[in-house]
Amino acid sequence: MSEDTSRTVPPTLWEPAAWEESRLGRFALRLEHDYGVDLGRDYEALRTWSLEHLDTFWLEVWRELRLPASPEPTVALADERLPGAVWFPEVTTNYAEAMLALPGRAEDDVVVVSRSQSREERTWTAAELRLDVARVRAGLVSLGVERGDRVAAYAPNVGETLVLLLATASLGAVFCSVAPEFGTQSVVDRLGQIEPRVLLVVDGYRYGDKPVSREAEVAEVLAALPTVTGVIHLPYLDAASTGPASTDSRHTVLWGDLHPDLREVVAFEPVPFDHPLYVLFSSGTTGLPKAIVHGHGGITLGHATALALFTDLGPQDRFSWFSTTGWMMWNYLVSGLMVGSTIVLFDGNPAHPTLMAQWELAAETGLTYYGTSAPFLMACRKEGLTPGSAVDLSRLRGVGSTGAPLPAEGFRWVHEAVSATAQLGSMSGGTDVCNAFVGATPLTPVWEGEISARLPGIGVEAYAESALGAGDWAPVVGEVGELVVTRPMPSMPVGFWGDEDGSRYHAAYFEEIPDVWRHGDWVTVTSRGSLVITGRSDATLNRGGVRLGTSEFYRVVEELPEVKDSLVVHLEDPAGGAGELVLFVSLAPGVSASDDLPRTIAGVLRSRLSPRHVPDTLQVVRALPRTLSGKKLEVPVKKILRGASPEDVVAAGALDDPSALADIAAYAASRG
């Protein structure tokens, strides 16, 4: 194992309190007492112990969080194979039951706040939420839904979509959601794989001050999904809308007509730990999106652990994370109910009328923890916002960041402009596990520009090929390696939908490096246990044998006031030469391309990074392609530059702006 001797220790922005002051710390002290171990109040000792006693650790976490199980579990991890781990083989449970336990909340406590640019705010108390789930559950039964059937939502981030998830889960049926901004083909590419029986739809939505009808898209989606026999219509853009026309084979019911007079207590179907809960989809930029199946037990245990222990959320908290129903962070956000927190949902344009809108929402709703994407935080910084002095964020004790690496400047901005006392929780994980591998904890400092820690019970390493030859991998510290997970974690997928023999699942994560999960990120683990992620390993930039991370390019280039967005790819030379480094930029509003721009960008890259980072080619485009969840598309752009047609490498419906590919394709054609 190499030593981390070159990295300068960055400033510490947040220090942990005593172990007794957080739930994770108190849990660790109980482990010391119950198992006779001395962790020395040292986080790395706790993490090491958790991996050495993986079965015991996760069994005790289940007991600590008092998650529903029958019978009481005695074994957590019965088989440690990767892939093929067997978790909690003895028990049955139900995610909806864990969610609606709402620990620490009274019947009349508000537990869901639903904010929207399409309608007035709506709230649910604990009693109202349980009753609504029971009502919709009965409605699903009347539409013929049984255990194992699929129920889908083509609907926004509002309370009704959450209620449908819980009602579906309570029956042991399988849930899936797609955001209403998805185009028809993107919806069909996803839902067509799982063949839903019931579909929740809306008539449209408002994005900022722009109304967007979805009636034509709903009709097209229903025409392409013959398995849908029941349609639930939620009037959203227009409260008077009645939904798509019924046919002989389909029954359409308004949301409010789903057993409105029901007063029964919600029931829960007990299911095995790995029984499918919901299906999440990969971005689908190449071919059909992967249909990733997550189980009741894995999500229940994984999310409760992340929120209660690693984020220290509880009944006293108000929790929000900006997301749409097409991103895994929506699933993560709504699980805040499981630890008793009030969750605040938001649907609309987060930058309308200005970027301050989300910070105003945080102040108005009294958020104690607000999560968002790294690009949003960097956009606020670039805009020069100072939310901490503009609105009252005194209750805010945590700010979460994910979706892309957050550079040091972003950390510094949050600390200086948002809150000097709030913990910045930069984390990284993915749709694949619907959770984080690495992130912040109450027991670890926050260092500027670094993810705080590898999380307990999750065996994360940076792997590099050793000098012994290709295929011989070993963990490294202080140098870049592949992010791998060496031990099973509860929220790894049950599998892919329709992948009966598991071959596609195996190929996706376990083929490149045998016996470990290869996630596809470049990561550096420091000697302090913190981490720096520098981009996707499948978008590697290799200049003269030196590997360059994409995130450092973006950090520097997007600091320039002239630049709105950027994307960099490296085209290797088959003859073994240096290849070509191509940098695309889109310009800020009101800025025109000039002869000075290439010199400016080259100069700042040379001075702040190195001469190797100076692009061979700079191309200005109108806009750059991103997925609907905001991820840059380095690999598809690289394929287009290599001669592939855009329609063969990118599904247009998976992009926030499908027309953004036009400039890339035109430039590729001009190169011949």
Side-chain angles (χ1 to χ4, degrees), residues 177-473:
S177 61
V178 288
E181 62 265 26
F182 278 40
T184 302
Q185 191 58 53
S186 289
V187 177
V188 174
D189 284 349
R190 288 160 172 77
L191 301 188
Q193 295 184 58
I194 64 170
E195 300 178 309
R197 184 162 190 168
V198 170
L199 180 65
L200 169 69
V201 299
V202 293
D203 55 315
Y205 59 92
R206 190 173 295 277
Y207 193 73
D209 57 3
K210 178 184 177 183
V212 181
S213 173
R214 269 314 190 228
E215 292 178 340
E217 286 79 4
V218 166
E220 292 171 3
V221 166
L222 288 173
L225 296 177
T227 61
V228 173
T229 57
V231 179
I232 303 171
H233 178 69
L234 174 64
Y236 187 59
L237 181 62
D238 176 6
S241 69
T242 57
S246 298
T247 65
D248 291 341
S249 60
R250 287 193 173 118
H251 178 62
T252 298
V253 59
L254 289 173
W255 177 268
D257 291 340
L258 288 168
H259 292 274
D261 299 322
L262 187 78
R263 290 292 179 267
E264 295 178 6
V265 176
V266 63
F268 306 101
E269 176 76 10
V271 294
F273 187 92
D274 61 355
H275 183 80
L277 166 63
Y278 44 61
V279 177
L280 302 184
F281 290 94
S282 63
S283 58
T285 53
T286 54
L288 280 179
K290 296 195 298 285
I292 304 167
V293 183
H294 289 286
H296 275 252
I299 292 299
T300 298
L301 179 56
H303 284 185
T305 305
L307 295 167
L309 297 184
F310 303 158
T311 316
D312 208 29
L313 294 180
Q316 74 284 357
D317 287 297
R318 286 197 155 209
F319 172 50
S320 187
W321 205 295
F322 176 76
S323 179
T324 72
T325 54
W327 188 23
M328 59 137 295
M329 292 310 298
W330 180 79
N331 304 75
Y332 186 85
L333 159 62
V334 299
S335 285
L337 293 174
M338 204 169 353
V339 298
S341 299
T342 294
I343 58 171
V344 178
L345 312 177
F346 173 78
D347 175 51
N349 180 351
H352 178 80
T354 72
L355 285 167
M356 272 300 300
Q358 284 289 289
W359 303 109
E360 290 164 356
L361 177 144
E364 292 164 7
T365 58
L367 293 184
T368 59
Y369 199 102
Y370 170 66
T372 185
S373 68
F376 176 79
L377 295 175
M378 293 303 290
C380 290
R381 175 185 180 273
K382 192 168 186 176
E383 212 48 41
L385 301 186
T386 55
S389 59
V391 294
D392 181 9
L393 298 178
S394 58
R395 294 194 63 197
L396 196 66
R397 62 178 183 83
V399 176
S401 172
T402 193
L406 182 66
E409 294 84 354
F411 278 72
R412 195 178 312 128
W413 177 81
V414 170
H415 184 69
E416 294 174 352
V418 178
S419 171
T421 57
Q423 180 186 20
L424 176 56
S426 179
M427 70 180 195
S428 184
T431 301
D432 317 77
V433 293
C434 198
N435 212 332
F437 301 113
V438 295
T441 83
L443 308 181
T444 48
V446 175
W447 291 283
E448 187 178 285
E450 298 179 351
I451 296 174
S452 294
R454 294 175 285 181
L455 299 172
I458 302 173
V460 170
E461 299 285 354
Y463 262 26
E465 288 187 289
S466 74
L468 297 177
D472 184 37
W473 297 85

Side-chain angles (χ1 to χ4, degrees), residues 23 52 93 95-96 148 324 336 376 408 442 463 494 503 510 590 634 649 653 657 664:
R23 189 165 183 181
E52 291 173 347
T93 188
Y95 170 79
T324 72
F376 176 79
Y463 262 26
V494 173
S503 57
F510 301 99
E634 292 107 334
V649 298
D657 179 6
I664 304 289

